[in-house]
Amino acid sequence: MGADTEVSGARTRPGVRRALPWLIVAFWVALIAVAGPFAGKLGDVQRDRAVDYLPANADSTQVAKIQDTLPGGESTDLVLVYHRDSGLTPADRATAGEQTAAIAGEHQLSAAPRGVPSEDGTTLMFAVSSTEPGQDEEVRAAFVGEIRETAKGGDGLSVEVGGPGALTVDAQEVYGSLGGPLLYTTVAVVAILLILIYRSPFLWLVPLVVAGMADFLSMAVAYGLNRGFDVTVSGQSSGVMTILVFGAGTDYALLIVARYREELGRHARPHDAMAAALRGCGPAVLASSGTVAAGLLCLMAADLNSSRGMGPVAAVGVLCALFAMTTLLPALLVVLGRRVFWPIVPAYGSVRERRRSLFAAMGGSAGRRPVAVLVSGGVLLGALSLGAFALPGDLRQENFFTSTPDSISAMATLGAAYPDSGTQPITVIAPTGRADEALAEARGTEGVLSAERGRGGGGWTELSVVPRDPAESAGEQATIEALRGALEGSHVGGPSAQQMDLEETNARDLKAVVPLVVLAVLLILVVLLRSLVAPLMLVAAVVAVWGASLGIAGLVFGPVLGFEGTDPGLPLLSFVFLVALGVDYGIFLMHRMREEALSGAGPTEAALTALRTTGAVIASAGLVLAATFGVLMSMPMVALAELGFVVAVGVLLDTFLVRTYLVTSASVALGRTVWWPGALSRKPPAAGPDVPREPELAATR
């Protein structure tokens, strides 16, 4: 009876193994069907208002929140700019009066528009404010569009609609247009690179399809986070999530496929080869993705809404990519069998001729003079880091876009026509019981041109304060600081105050989040590598890469790319991405190095063998990840373009300099000390001379 049961079990296990891939594929089909309706709703909860990016507890954030509760809700503030280079004519002024009167008749405005002429007579400015659109982004966009349709120029008269409301609408239009172009461009870039890497007409399609399904799943999960936990989802965070799904997901696919191809030469059955491949590289993939996710989740400690929301949203992208690449990808590859590698199909038991690979040669140079290579690389990274001092100043509102929408053009016209006066009001929210006192104090504050009472409700009164100095100038910033110091119990906000709070909070978040990221990454590396020295070495390397990448950006942003400012959030976001993703590749290399050391290889042999066997995969993964982040440079937002540039450059530095030369040479120079205080740091009793051995025969492709 027992024998019969044993035989029966032996017969069913192969059947179960053959059915498992099909079951996994069926599970994913059902999962995508369930996730579909939720993924499609992500765009509905995406928010790109100022309050969605502002610091959680900043003064300007309180202003934006209280404005939402006032009668009519959030106000939409616009500036109509009528301009003629040679000077406005009486007909121009009449046109402006007719059009603004028509706008006042068609819409519910807070006050009748009043023209303010420039001293040189070339420009006439009208402030238009309305609570008619409320908080609805589509209604606001329609409202601004109707204003722009009514306010028309011609015959040398230009009419532009600017102001905070117009800038918000233009920004939302840009963010709304990111989804399609960003996804299509990313897919195209990844597809081209995979075709070049795999040199197969079919294989490239498998990881690409899996990444697409992972992206679809991540959209559904991100929607669930927003609905269930009120996680902020912005155009920036959803765009980065897509980049990470395709970039990190393709990296994991490259590692798994490379190991699977290798195992197909050792196993007759594809499912046995895949099982061996997952046993071999699975721990590294799990650890690397866990490290990236942990680093991203540290952003939840940030005070900036946009950064805090990006943490879980981006982590969702990485984890969905991991889930798809460790379940669906292996299942599809096993179902398709060896033929998916056509025309270079790996045959069971096949070997190829020995040949010295590029990475073996590079590792050899690092192995011969490790200290010299290490010092030279460190000096190079240090020198490049000095370029960070050349980064342009903080990004101003008029420099947000790589193109020039109507709102930005209006700001430029206003700046030239009213060089010595403010054109953008400061919003003050005062307790109703102190409204008159606050109004008097505001009017008496140095740098204030005028102040008027606005709406009231819910125990608060809105004041509109016009500064004497231009928007975002040092004088206007001093006025905002003076108002905040003088108006006790009141809140001071508006576009310029928001920008000040963004810059201050980003600097504070950098100090708070960076140590958390470093600590989280170190702890994971210590557990994975069972060492203190190796984790410290890897983290030091990626921090050096971050500094060098910012340095290169300082040399390129202004002179080459024409960026006139640096996004205040760039240092923090680039640090999180480069440290998390850079350590990702370090894990691939060090895990293989540890595997070689455990098999009895000496320190030099383990380091060079690890580089030889993982170098091509890491290089391919680095190229894919750099290219996907490089896609952000084609987007019309300067902040996204800057982030894409710094991360792409950092990934390339990490892939072709740090991993190849510095980590390898440091590992050779440190010897067994790199594994201190773990067991591998102690030399075995009977150890032969530590010389690199010839690479073993590898399976043919």
Side-chain angles (χ1 to χ4, degrees), residues 27-42 213-224 320:
F27 166 78
W28 267 92
V29 171
L31 182 62
I32 293 300
V34 172
F38 302 102
K41 294 180 180 179
L42 183 63
M213 298 181 78
D215 186 47
F216 202 69
L217 177 62
S218 68
M219 293 168 64
V221 176
Y223 174 78
C320 286

Side-chain angles (χ1 to χ4, degrees), residues 160-240:
E160 298 161 330
V161 179
L167 184 65
T168 298
V169 168
D170 289 340
Q172 289 169 349
E173 183 179 349
V174 170
Y175 277 122
S177 67
L178 289 181
L182 181 64
L183 177 61
Y184 304 146
T185 307
T186 302
V187 169
V189 167
V190 172
I192 292 171
L193 289 175
L194 287 177
I195 291 172
L196 294 175
I197 291 169
Y198 286 139
R199 289 175 286 177
S200 167
F202 306 114
L203 181 58
W204 64 273
L205 195 57
V206 180
L208 194 63
V209 168
V210 173
M213 298 181 78
D215 186 47
F216 202 69
L217 177 62
S218 68
M219 293 168 64
V221 176
Y223 174 78
L225 287 178
N226 175 269
R227 296 288 86 186
F229 302 96
D230 198 30
V231 173
T232 299
V233 179
S234 65
Q236 185 184 49
S237 62
S238 62
V240 168

Side-chain angles (χ1 to χ4, degrees), residues 660-683:
T660 305
Y661 284 112
L662 301 193
V663 172
T664 301
S665 60
S667 300
V668 172
L670 291 171
R672 296 188 181 277
T673 306
V674 77
W675 304 113
W676 185 88
L680 285 176
S681 64
R682 296 184 288 275
K683 189 173 183 179

Side-chain angles (χ1 to χ4, degrees), residues 521-613:
V521 169
L522 273 175
L523 288 176
I524 293 176
L525 289 177
V526 168
V527 172
L528 175 70
L529 301 177
R530 297 172 177 82
S531 164
L532 289 177
V533 175
L536 288 171
M537 177 181 69
L538 291 179
V539 171
V542 292
V543 171
V545 166
W546 172 66
S549 302
L550 287 179
I552 295 173
L555 302 176
V556 171
F557 277 2
V560 179
L561 300 179
F563 296 157
E564 298 184 22
T566 304
D567 178 50
L570 178 64
L572 175 61
L573 294 181
S574 61
F575 180 87
V576 172
F577 286 123
L578 283 178
V579 169
L581 295 170
V583 169
D584 196 27
Y585 294 143
I587 289 174
F588 293 163
L589 180 66
M590 297 301 293
H591 183 269
R592 188 59 181 258
M593 196 181 300
R594 177 178 171 79
E595 193 177 331
E596 294 294 325
L598 286 172
S599 68
T604 299
E605 180 184 353
L608 299 186
T609 302
L611 177 62
R612 175 180 57 80
T613 54

